[in-house]
């Protein structure tokens, strides 16, 4: 058994993949894990003792996704470790409030031996060059215990459904928001039963339950279509939005954010809705749809030169597959895991065939073969347990 210290940051947030990875490391047959929530000062205080007996230290996505505040609190202790450190990187898109140079600087400071990226390995190596660690691609996988088909597809009342937030402007993924908008319009015209909300996400249990009411869901690849190492473009976008925004925006780095993380999620949702009503928004989520579209057209047009694309498969793709919900997806690589027509219903990048795809939903059996193939494919090759197996094997070989 391998003794592993699993560090994470848990507060009131609806990001089920945080819990998926935490559960996967906790239950893995090859590991003897000790979990440390860096958000909790009492648990951080135990870290020196825990590190003394660890063969590896893992920091999960929740520690690096939105802020480095809590991993920085643990950095002096982490520097005393006598074993390799593996850092999983979250939210790998350009964020002006968490620039990539800040992330690279912290990785250098803490001396991370391995950097686990959700992106293609060559993209991660380019993005984290100079961080000092070896980059390993560790894409998401299926949590087969949490996302299970409980309702046969023929008994589902919703033709197409989703629960999500619009992507922040900084992601630059224009087609994702356009896809959801067009599905809502065309679906109604075709008389499909729709349940689409873009103002909230659900808890893991409720998300799995919701997927089991839907025959289909819609999405694109996750991540950014325009990825920059220096974040200069994101700062330009931020300055533009601030110059045009009518109300007041709360910065993700504001001190009030630390307090908000201690508030239950449903209260935070209520507070955000209330503040929006008086013209106060969270800067990471642009609520002015017209301004958002203007920024996307101005800064993320097709002709803009970008060094890399930061798109990849996400946990939500696996969630749908586990529940037997067929995905209508814009064609892409999906980390070379899902194949168009075999594991999902493809839509062209210009959405030109979307109407025809939606018309196919009139056939009650449409998509059943895709649902079965996708499920067999991920259960055989892409569970989180297998992801951790592959990671451990690579770590044993020095990351090669």
């Amino acid at each position: 058994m391998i003794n592993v210290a699993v560090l994470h940051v848990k507060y009131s947030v609806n990001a089920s993949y945080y819990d998926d990875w935490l559960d996967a490391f906790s239950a893995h047959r090859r590991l003897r894990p000790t979990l440390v929530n860096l958000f909790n000062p009492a648990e951080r205080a135990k870290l020196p003792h825990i590190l003394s007996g660890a063969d590896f230290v893992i920091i999960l996505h929740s520690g690096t996704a939105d802020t480095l505040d809590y991993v920085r609190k643990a950095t002096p202790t982490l520097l005393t470790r006598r074993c390799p450190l593996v850092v999983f990187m979250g939210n790998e898109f350009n964020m002006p409030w968490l620039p990539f140079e800040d992330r690279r600087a912290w990785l250098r400071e803490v001396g991370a031996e391995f950097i686990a990226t959700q992106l293609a390995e060559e993209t991660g190596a380019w993005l984290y060059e100079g961080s000092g660690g070896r980059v390993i691609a560790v894409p998401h996988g299926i949590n087969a215990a949490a996302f299970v088909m409980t309702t046969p597809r023929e008994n589902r009342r919703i033709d197409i459904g989703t629960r999500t937030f619009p992507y922040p402007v900084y992601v630059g993924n224009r087609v994702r928001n356009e896809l959801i908008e067009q599905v809502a319009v065309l679906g109604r015209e075709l008389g499909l039963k729709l349940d689409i909300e873009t103002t909230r996400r659900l808890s893991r249990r409720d998300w799995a339950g919701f997927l089991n009411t839907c025959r289909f869901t819609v999405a694109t690849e996750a991540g950014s279509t325009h990825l920059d190492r220096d974040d200069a473009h994101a700062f330009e976008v931020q300055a533009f939005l601030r110059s045009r925004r009518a109300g007041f925006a709360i910065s993700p780095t504001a001190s009030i954010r630390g307090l908000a993380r201690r508030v239950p999620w449903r209260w935070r949702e209520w507070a955000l809705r209330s503040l929006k009503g008086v013209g106060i928004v969270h800067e990471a989520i642009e609520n002015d749809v017209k301004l958002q579209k203007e920024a996307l057209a101005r800064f993320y047009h097709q002709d803009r030169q970008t060094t890399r694309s930061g798109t990849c498969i996400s946990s939500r793709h696996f969630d749908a597959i586990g529940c037997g919900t067929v995905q209508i997806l814009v064609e892409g690589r999906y980390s070379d895991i899902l194949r168009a027509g075999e594991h999902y219903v493809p839509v062209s990048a210009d959405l030109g065939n979307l109407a025809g795809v939606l018309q196919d939903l009139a056939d009650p059996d449409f998509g059943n073969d895709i649902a079965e193939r996708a499920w067999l494919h991920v259960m055989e090759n892409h569970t989180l347990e297998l992801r951790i197996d592959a990671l451990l094997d690579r770590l044993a070989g020095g990351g090669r």
Side-chain angles (χ1 to χ4, degrees), residues 126-158:
W126 164 80
L127 187 60
Y128 299 110
E129 183 180 359
S131 299
R134 178 177 288 275
V135 175
I136 300 175
V138 185
H140 290 292
I142 188 171
N143 180 344
F147 293 95
V148 180
M149 180 189 286
T150 58
T151 303
R153 286 176 48 77
E154 62 270 20
N155 294 341
R156 301 186 179 191
R157 61 182 179 81
I158 299 167

PDB file of all heavy atoms in Angstrom, residues 126-158:
ATOM      1  N   TRP A 126       3.817  23.092 -22.538  1.00  0.00           N
ATOM      2  CA  TRP A 126       4.030  24.467 -23.014  1.00  0.00           C
ATOM      3  C   TRP A 126       3.566  25.482 -21.975  1.00  0.00           C
ATOM      4  O   TRP A 126       4.257  26.458 -21.679  1.00  0.00           O
ATOM      5  CB  TRP A 126       3.288  24.654 -24.330  1.00  0.00           C
ATOM      6  CG  TRP A 126       3.094  26.070 -24.761  1.00  0.00           C
ATOM      7  CD1 TRP A 126       4.006  26.876 -25.371  1.00  0.00           C
ATOM      8  CD2 TRP A 126       1.890  26.851 -24.601  1.00  0.00           C
ATOM      9  NE1 TRP A 126       3.454  28.112 -25.613  1.00  0.00           N
ATOM     10  CE2 TRP A 126       2.160  28.122 -25.157  1.00  0.00           C
ATOM     11  CE3 TRP A 126       0.635  26.592 -24.060  1.00  0.00           C
ATOM     12  CZ2 TRP A 126       1.203  29.142 -25.168  1.00  0.00           C
ATOM     13  CZ3 TRP A 126      -0.319  27.598 -24.071  1.00  0.00           C
ATOM     14  CH2 TRP A 126      -0.036  28.852 -24.615  1.00  0.00           C
ATOM     15  N   LEU A 127       2.394  25.235 -21.385  1.00  0.00           N
ATOM     16  CA  LEU A 127       1.787  26.194 -20.465  1.00  0.00           C
ATOM     17  C   LEU A 127       2.586  26.319 -19.173  1.00  0.00           C
ATOM     18  O   LEU A 127       2.738  27.420 -18.627  1.00  0.00           O
ATOM     19  CB  LEU A 127       0.353  25.766 -20.164  1.00  0.00           C
ATOM     20  CG  LEU A 127      -0.521  26.715 -19.361  1.00  0.00           C
ATOM     21  CD1 LEU A 127      -0.658  28.050 -20.083  1.00  0.00           C
ATOM     22  CD2 LEU A 127      -1.896  26.096 -19.121  1.00  0.00           C
ATOM     23  N   TYR A 128       3.109  25.195 -18.668  1.00  0.00           N
ATOM     24  CA  TYR A 128       3.794  25.197 -17.375  1.00  0.00           C
ATOM     25  C   TYR A 128       5.318  25.134 -17.516  1.00  0.00           C
ATOM     26  O   TYR A 128       6.015  24.866 -16.537  1.00  0.00           O
ATOM     27  CB  TYR A 128       3.280  24.047 -16.509  1.00  0.00           C
ATOM     28  CG  TYR A 128       1.800  24.157 -16.234  1.00  0.00           C
ATOM     29  CD1 TYR A 128       0.887  23.263 -16.805  1.00  0.00           C
ATOM     30  CD2 TYR A 128       1.300  25.189 -15.439  1.00  0.00           C
ATOM     31  CE1 TYR A 128      -0.471  23.386 -16.583  1.00  0.00           C
ATOM     32  CE2 TYR A 128      -0.061  25.321 -15.213  1.00  0.00           C
ATOM     33  CZ  TYR A 128      -0.940  24.416 -15.785  1.00  0.00           C
ATOM     34  OH  TYR A 128      -2.288  24.549 -15.561  1.00  0.00           O
ATOM     35  N   GLU A 129       5.823  25.393 -18.710  1.00  0.00           N
ATOM     36  CA  GLU A 129       7.269  25.425 -18.899  1.00  0.00           C
ATOM     37  C   GLU A 129       7.889  26.446 -17.946  1.00  0.00           C
ATOM     38  O   GLU A 129       7.399  27.571 -17.798  1.00  0.00           O
ATOM     39  CB  GLU A 129       7.606  25.806 -20.343  1.00  0.00           C
ATOM     40  CG  GLU A 129       9.087  25.801 -20.638  1.00  0.00           C
ATOM     41  CD  GLU A 129       9.394  26.186 -22.067  1.00  0.00           C
ATOM     42  OE1 GLU A 129       8.430  26.447 -22.844  1.00  0.00           O
ATOM     43  OE2 GLU A 129      10.587  26.241 -22.416  1.00  0.00           O
ATOM     44  N   GLY A 130       8.950  26.040 -17.278  1.00  0.00           N
ATOM     45  CA  GLY A 130       9.586  26.917 -16.309  1.00  0.00           C
ATOM     46  C   GLY A 130       9.076  26.737 -14.898  1.00  0.00           C
ATOM     47  O   GLY A 130       9.553  27.403 -13.969  1.00  0.00           O
ATOM     48  N   SER A 131       8.112  25.823 -14.714  1.00  0.00           N
ATOM     49  CA  SER A 131       7.572  25.582 -13.376  1.00  0.00           C
ATOM     50  C   SER A 131       8.432  24.612 -12.580  1.00  0.00           C
ATOM     51  O   SER A 131       8.272  24.503 -11.363  1.00  0.00           O
ATOM     52  CB  SER A 131       6.140  25.041 -13.463  1.00  0.00           C
ATOM     53  OG  SER A 131       5.299  25.966 -14.101  1.00  0.00           O
ATOM     54  N   GLY A 132       9.300  23.887 -13.261  1.00  0.00           N
ATOM     55  CA  GLY A 132      10.216  22.993 -12.570  1.00  0.00           C
ATOM     56  C   GLY A 132       9.776  21.558 -12.459  1.00  0.00           C
ATOM     57  O   GLY A 132      10.586  20.678 -12.153  1.00  0.00           O
ATOM     58  N   GLY A 133       8.501  21.271 -12.698  1.00  0.00           N
ATOM     59  CA  GLY A 133       7.999  19.905 -12.554  1.00  0.00           C
ATOM     60  C   GLY A 133       7.745  19.247 -13.895  1.00  0.00           C
ATOM     61  O   GLY A 133       7.672  19.914 -14.937  1.00  0.00           O
ATOM     62  N   ARG A 134       7.616  17.929 -13.876  1.00  0.00           N
ATOM     63  CA  ARG A 134       7.259  17.185 -15.076  1.00  0.00           C
ATOM     64  C   ARG A 134       5.744  17.192 -15.235  1.00  0.00           C
ATOM     65  O   ARG A 134       5.010  16.873 -14.292  1.00  0.00           O
ATOM     66  CB  ARG A 134       7.769  15.748 -14.988  1.00  0.00           C
ATOM     67  CG  ARG A 134       7.391  14.900 -16.205  1.00  0.00           C
ATOM     68  CD  ARG A 134       7.975  13.504 -16.110  1.00  0.00           C
ATOM     69  NE  ARG A 134       9.408  13.534 -16.313  1.00  0.00           N
ATOM     70  CZ  ARG A 134      10.009  13.509 -17.493  1.00  0.00           C
ATOM     71  NH1 ARG A 134       9.284  13.476 -18.603  1.00  0.00           N
ATOM     72  NH2 ARG A 134      11.315  13.526 -17.580  1.00  0.00           N
ATOM     73  N   VAL A 135       5.276  17.549 -16.417  1.00  0.00           N
ATOM     74  CA  VAL A 135       3.844  17.650 -16.683  1.00  0.00           C
ATOM     75  C   VAL A 135       3.308  16.302 -17.144  1.00  0.00           C
ATOM     76  O   VAL A 135       3.895  15.652 -18.025  1.00  0.00           O
ATOM     77  CB  VAL A 135       3.558  18.736 -17.738  1.00  0.00           C
ATOM     78  CG1 VAL A 135       2.074  18.747 -18.114  1.00  0.00           C
ATOM     79  CG2 VAL A 135       3.982  20.106 -17.212  1.00  0.00           C
ATOM     80  N   ILE A 136       2.189  15.890 -16.543  1.00  0.00           N
ATOM     81  CA  ILE A 136       1.533  14.630 -16.878  1.00  0.00           C
ATOM     82  C   ILE A 136       0.070  14.934 -17.188  1.00  0.00           C
ATOM     83  O   ILE A 136      -0.606  15.619 -16.411  1.00  0.00           O
ATOM     84  CB  ILE A 136       1.604  13.626 -15.711  1.00  0.00           C
ATOM     85  CG1 ILE A 136       3.065  13.316 -15.345  1.00  0.00           C
ATOM     86  CG2 ILE A 136       0.853  12.349 -16.042  1.00  0.00           C
ATOM     87  CD1 ILE A 136       3.199  12.431 -14.117  1.00  0.00           C
ATOM     88  N   ALA A 137      -0.424  14.446 -18.312  1.00  0.00           N
ATOM     89  CA  ALA A 137      -1.847  14.624 -18.641  1.00  0.00           C
ATOM     90  C   ALA A 137      -2.675  13.615 -17.848  1.00  0.00           C
ATOM     91  O   ALA A 137      -2.451  12.413 -17.932  1.00  0.00           O
ATOM     92  CB  ALA A 137      -2.070  14.436 -20.132  1.00  0.00           C
ATOM     93  N   VAL A 138      -3.609  14.139 -17.065  1.00  0.00           N
ATOM     94  CA  VAL A 138      -4.526  13.285 -16.303  1.00  0.00           C
ATOM     95  C   VAL A 138      -5.939  13.804 -16.553  1.00  0.00           C
ATOM     96  O   VAL A 138      -6.462  14.636 -15.797  1.00  0.00           O
ATOM     97  CB  VAL A 138      -4.210  13.292 -14.796  1.00  0.00           C
ATOM     98  CG1 VAL A 138      -5.111  12.280 -14.062  1.00  0.00           C
ATOM     99  CG2 VAL A 138      -2.744  12.964 -14.532  1.00  0.00           C
ATOM    100  N   PRO A 139      -6.580  13.357 -17.637  1.00  0.00           N
ATOM    101  CA  PRO A 139      -7.944  13.821 -17.927  1.00  0.00           C
ATOM    102  C   PRO A 139      -8.942  13.265 -16.923  1.00  0.00           C
ATOM    103  O   PRO A 139      -8.634  12.348 -16.155  1.00  0.00           O
ATOM    104  CB  PRO A 139      -8.208  13.283 -19.335  1.00  0.00           C
ATOM    105  CG  PRO A 139      -7.299  12.100 -19.462  1.00  0.00           C
ATOM    106  CD  PRO A 139      -6.078  12.412 -18.645  1.00  0.00           C
ATOM    107  N   HIS A 140     -10.113  13.834 -16.941  1.00  0.00           N
ATOM    108  CA  HIS A 140     -11.167  13.350 -16.050  1.00  0.00           C
ATOM    109  C   HIS A 140     -11.595  11.947 -16.466  1.00  0.00           C
ATOM    110  O   HIS A 140     -11.251  11.453 -17.543  1.00  0.00           O
ATOM    111  CB  HIS A 140     -12.356  14.300 -16.081  1.00  0.00           C
ATOM    112  CG  HIS A 140     -12.077  15.617 -15.434  1.00  0.00           C
ATOM    113  ND1 HIS A 140     -11.869  15.753 -14.085  1.00  0.00           N
ATOM    114  CD2 HIS A 140     -11.937  16.865 -15.952  1.00  0.00           C
ATOM    115  CE1 HIS A 140     -11.629  17.018 -13.797  1.00  0.00           C
ATOM    116  NE2 HIS A 140     -11.664  17.712 -14.914  1.00  0.00           N
ATOM    117  N   GLY A 141     -12.352  11.307 -15.596  1.00  0.00           N
ATOM    118  CA  GLY A 141     -12.912   9.984 -15.861  1.00  0.00           C
ATOM    119  C   GLY A 141     -14.275   9.890 -15.221  1.00  0.00           C
ATOM    120  O   GLY A 141     -14.771  10.851 -14.618  1.00  0.00           O
ATOM    121  N   ILE A 142     -14.870   8.731 -15.300  1.00  0.00           N
ATOM    122  CA  ILE A 142     -16.218   8.552 -14.774  1.00  0.00           C
ATOM    123  C   ILE A 142     -16.190   8.109 -13.318  1.00  0.00           C
ATOM    124  O   ILE A 142     -15.386   7.269 -12.915  1.00  0.00           O
ATOM    125  CB  ILE A 142     -17.020   7.531 -15.622  1.00  0.00           C
ATOM    126  CG1 ILE A 142     -18.489   7.501 -15.186  1.00  0.00           C
ATOM    127  CG2 ILE A 142     -16.398   6.144 -15.574  1.00  0.00           C
ATOM    128  CD1 ILE A 142     -19.379   6.689 -16.098  1.00  0.00           C
ATOM    129  N   ASN A 143     -17.043   8.725 -12.518  1.00  0.00           N
ATOM    130  CA  ASN A 143     -17.332   8.253 -11.170  1.00  0.00           C
ATOM    131  C   ASN A 143     -18.521   7.304 -11.296  1.00  0.00           C
ATOM    132  O   ASN A 143     -19.679   7.733 -11.297  1.00  0.00           O
ATOM    133  CB  ASN A 143     -17.661   9.429 -10.252  1.00  0.00           C
ATOM    134  CG  ASN A 143     -17.980   8.991  -8.832  1.00  0.00           C
ATOM    135  OD1 ASN A 143     -18.243   7.824  -8.568  1.00  0.00           O
ATOM    136  ND2 ASN A 143     -17.954   9.933  -7.905  1.00  0.00           N
ATOM    137  N   ALA A 144     -18.214   6.024 -11.425  1.00  0.00           N
ATOM    138  CA  ALA A 144     -19.242   5.039 -11.740  1.00  0.00           C
ATOM    139  C   ALA A 144     -20.175   4.764 -10.570  1.00  0.00           C
ATOM    140  O   ALA A 144     -21.241   4.159 -10.746  1.00  0.00           O
ATOM    141  CB  ALA A 144     -18.586   3.733 -12.195  1.00  0.00           C
ATOM    142  N   ALA A 145     -19.799   5.206  -9.377  1.00  0.00           N
ATOM    143  CA  ALA A 145     -20.669   5.007  -8.218  1.00  0.00           C
ATOM    144  C   ALA A 145     -21.722   6.106  -8.111  1.00  0.00           C
ATOM    145  O   ALA A 145     -22.850   5.857  -7.672  1.00  0.00           O
ATOM    146  CB  ALA A 145     -19.838   4.960  -6.938  1.00  0.00           C
ATOM    147  N   ALA A 146     -21.365   7.319  -8.528  1.00  0.00           N
ATOM    148  CA  ALA A 146     -22.274   8.459  -8.364  1.00  0.00           C
ATOM    149  C   ALA A 146     -23.169   8.683  -9.570  1.00  0.00           C
ATOM    150  O   ALA A 146     -24.300   9.157  -9.427  1.00  0.00           O
ATOM    151  CB  ALA A 146     -21.472   9.726  -8.076  1.00  0.00           C
ATOM    152  N   PHE A 147     -22.670   8.340 -10.775  1.00  0.00           N
ATOM    153  CA  PHE A 147     -23.428   8.636 -11.997  1.00  0.00           C
ATOM    154  C   PHE A 147     -23.829   7.320 -12.655  1.00  0.00           C
ATOM    155  O   PHE A 147     -23.043   6.685 -13.362  1.00  0.00           O
ATOM    156  CB  PHE A 147     -22.601   9.529 -12.918  1.00  0.00           C
ATOM    157  CG  PHE A 147     -22.403  10.894 -12.328  1.00  0.00           C
ATOM    158  CD1 PHE A 147     -21.256  11.193 -11.603  1.00  0.00           C
ATOM    159  CD2 PHE A 147     -23.388  11.866 -12.434  1.00  0.00           C
ATOM    160  CE1 PHE A 147     -21.084  12.441 -11.025  1.00  0.00           C
ATOM    161  CE2 PHE A 147     -23.231  13.113 -11.859  1.00  0.00           C
ATOM    162  CZ  PHE A 147     -22.076  13.402 -11.141  1.00  0.00           C
ATOM    163  N   VAL A 148     -25.069   6.941 -12.365  1.00  0.00           N
ATOM    164  CA  VAL A 148     -25.612   5.636 -12.740  1.00  0.00           C
ATOM    165  C   VAL A 148     -26.969   5.842 -13.400  1.00  0.00           C
ATOM    166  O   VAL A 148     -27.730   6.743 -13.009  1.00  0.00           O
ATOM    167  CB  VAL A 148     -25.779   4.745 -11.486  1.00  0.00           C
ATOM    168  CG1 VAL A 148     -26.347   3.381 -11.847  1.00  0.00           C
ATOM    169  CG2 VAL A 148     -24.450   4.598 -10.757  1.00  0.00           C
ATOM    170  N   MET A 149     -27.289   5.009 -14.392  1.00  0.00           N
ATOM    171  CA  MET A 149     -28.618   5.070 -14.990  1.00  0.00           C
ATOM    172  C   MET A 149     -29.630   4.452 -14.029  1.00  0.00           C
ATOM    173  O   MET A 149     -29.555   3.264 -13.713  1.00  0.00           O
ATOM    174  CB  MET A 149     -28.664   4.319 -16.326  1.00  0.00           C
ATOM    175  CG  MET A 149     -30.044   4.371 -16.980  1.00  0.00           C
ATOM    176  SD  MET A 149     -30.230   3.284 -18.417  1.00  0.00           S
ATOM    177  CE  MET A 149     -29.281   4.173 -19.629  1.00  0.00           C
ATOM    178  N   THR A 150     -30.559   5.260 -13.558  1.00  0.00           N
ATOM    179  CA  THR A 150     -31.614   4.780 -12.674  1.00  0.00           C
ATOM    180  C   THR A 150     -32.980   4.804 -13.337  1.00  0.00           C
ATOM    181  O   THR A 150     -33.922   4.181 -12.837  1.00  0.00           O
ATOM    182  CB  THR A 150     -31.664   5.632 -11.393  1.00  0.00           C
ATOM    183  OG1 THR A 150     -31.869   7.006 -11.744  1.00  0.00           O
ATOM    184  CG2 THR A 150     -30.370   5.495 -10.606  1.00  0.00           C
ATOM    185  N   THR A 151     -33.089   5.543 -14.454  1.00  0.00           N
ATOM    186  CA  THR A 151     -34.348   5.621 -15.193  1.00  0.00           C
ATOM    187  C   THR A 151     -34.087   5.249 -16.645  1.00  0.00           C
ATOM    188  O   THR A 151     -33.253   5.878 -17.303  1.00  0.00           O
ATOM    189  CB  THR A 151     -34.920   7.055 -15.153  1.00  0.00           C
ATOM    190  OG1 THR A 151     -35.088   7.456 -13.791  1.00  0.00           O
ATOM    191  CG2 THR A 151     -36.258   7.123 -15.873  1.00  0.00           C
ATOM    192  N   PRO A 152     -34.777   4.213 -17.158  1.00  0.00           N
ATOM    193  CA  PRO A 152     -34.584   3.851 -18.575  1.00  0.00           C
ATOM    194  C   PRO A 152     -34.858   5.043 -19.481  1.00  0.00           C
ATOM    195  O   PRO A 152     -35.723   5.883 -19.186  1.00  0.00           O
ATOM    196  CB  PRO A 152     -35.608   2.728 -18.792  1.00  0.00           C
ATOM    197  CG  PRO A 152     -35.870   2.175 -17.422  1.00  0.00           C
ATOM    198  CD  PRO A 152     -35.746   3.344 -16.484  1.00  0.00           C
ATOM    199  N   ARG A 153     -34.135   5.110 -20.578  1.00  0.00           N
ATOM    200  CA  ARG A 153     -34.270   6.264 -21.465  1.00  0.00           C
ATOM    201  C   ARG A 153     -35.693   6.445 -21.973  1.00  0.00           C
ATOM    202  O   ARG A 153     -36.165   7.571 -22.149  1.00  0.00           O
ATOM    203  CB  ARG A 153     -33.299   6.124 -22.640  1.00  0.00           C
ATOM    204  CG  ARG A 153     -31.851   6.387 -22.262  1.00  0.00           C
ATOM    205  CD  ARG A 153     -30.904   6.147 -23.427  1.00  0.00           C
ATOM    206  NE  ARG A 153     -31.329   6.784 -24.660  1.00  0.00           N
ATOM    207  CZ  ARG A 153     -31.215   8.074 -24.945  1.00  0.00           C
ATOM    208  NH1 ARG A 153     -30.680   8.891 -24.056  1.00  0.00           N
ATOM    209  NH2 ARG A 153     -31.626   8.557 -26.108  1.00  0.00           N
ATOM    210  N   GLU A 154     -36.399   5.335 -22.200  1.00  0.00           N
ATOM    211  CA  GLU A 154     -37.755   5.442 -22.743  1.00  0.00           C
ATOM    212  C   GLU A 154     -38.743   6.031 -21.735  1.00  0.00           C
ATOM    213  O   GLU A 154     -39.848   6.449 -22.097  1.00  0.00           O
ATOM    214  CB  GLU A 154     -38.261   4.083 -23.223  1.00  0.00           C
ATOM    215  CG  GLU A 154     -38.376   3.008 -22.141  1.00  0.00           C
ATOM    216  CD  GLU A 154     -37.107   2.184 -21.983  1.00  0.00           C
ATOM    217  OE1 GLU A 154     -36.029   2.668 -22.426  1.00  0.00           O
ATOM    218  OE2 GLU A 154     -37.200   1.073 -21.430  1.00  0.00           O
ATOM    219  N   ASN A 155     -38.352   6.078 -20.456  1.00  0.00           N
ATOM    220  CA  ASN A 155     -39.241   6.609 -19.424  1.00  0.00           C
ATOM    221  C   ASN A 155     -38.896   8.047 -19.023  1.00  0.00           C
ATOM    222  O   ASN A 155     -39.476   8.574 -18.075  1.00  0.00           O
ATOM    223  CB  ASN A 155     -39.185   5.733 -18.175  1.00  0.00           C
ATOM    224  CG  ASN A 155     -39.755   4.346 -18.415  1.00  0.00           C
ATOM    225  OD1 ASN A 155     -40.492   4.134 -19.380  1.00  0.00           O
ATOM    226  ND2 ASN A 155     -39.408   3.397 -17.559  1.00  0.00           N
ATOM    227  N   ARG A 156     -38.007   8.670 -19.746  1.00  0.00           N
ATOM    228  CA  ARG A 156     -37.570  10.013 -19.361  1.00  0.00           C
ATOM    229  C   ARG A 156     -38.489  11.072 -19.973  1.00  0.00           C
ATOM    230  O   ARG A 156     -38.848  10.990 -21.134  1.00  0.00           O
ATOM    231  CB  ARG A 156     -36.115  10.230 -19.772  1.00  0.00           C
ATOM    232  CG  ARG A 156     -35.202   9.203 -19.109  1.00  0.00           C
ATOM    233  CD  ARG A 156     -33.740   9.455 -19.362  1.00  0.00           C
ATOM    234  NE  ARG A 156     -32.930   8.449 -18.692  1.00  0.00           N
ATOM    235  CZ  ARG A 156     -31.620   8.501 -18.544  1.00  0.00           C
ATOM    236  NH1 ARG A 156     -30.960   9.546 -19.040  1.00  0.00           N
ATOM    237  NH2 ARG A 156     -30.965   7.538 -17.922  1.00  0.00           N
ATOM    238  N   ARG A 157     -38.821  12.067 -19.168  1.00  0.00           N
ATOM    239  CA  ARG A 157     -39.829  13.049 -19.571  1.00  0.00           C
ATOM    240  C   ARG A 157     -39.269  14.229 -20.349  1.00  0.00           C
ATOM    241  O   ARG A 157     -40.002  14.957 -21.004  1.00  0.00           O
ATOM    242  CB  ARG A 157     -40.574  13.566 -18.337  1.00  0.00           C
ATOM    243  CG  ARG A 157     -39.675  14.265 -17.342  1.00  0.00           C
ATOM    244  CD  ARG A 157     -40.441  14.733 -16.107  1.00  0.00           C
ATOM    245  NE  ARG A 157     -39.571  15.386 -15.131  1.00  0.00           N
ATOM    246  CZ  ARG A 157     -39.178  16.641 -15.200  1.00  0.00           C
ATOM    247  NH1 ARG A 157     -39.585  17.401 -16.201  1.00  0.00           N
ATOM    248  NH2 ARG A 157     -38.388  17.152 -14.289  1.00  0.00           N
ATOM    249  N   ILE A 158     -37.944  14.445 -20.272  1.00  0.00           N
ATOM    250  CA  ILE A 158     -37.322  15.607 -20.910  1.00  0.00           C
ATOM    251  C   ILE A 158     -36.521  15.149 -22.124  1.00  0.00           C
ATOM    252  O   ILE A 158     -35.753  14.191 -22.044  1.00  0.00           O
ATOM    253  CB  ILE A 158     -36.388  16.334 -19.923  1.00  0.00           C
ATOM    254  CG1 ILE A 158     -37.182  16.831 -18.712  1.00  0.00           C
ATOM    255  CG2 ILE A 158     -35.666  17.493 -20.611  1.00  0.00           C
ATOM    256  CD1 ILE A 158     -36.311  17.287 -17.559  1.00  0.00           C
TER     257      ILE A 158
END
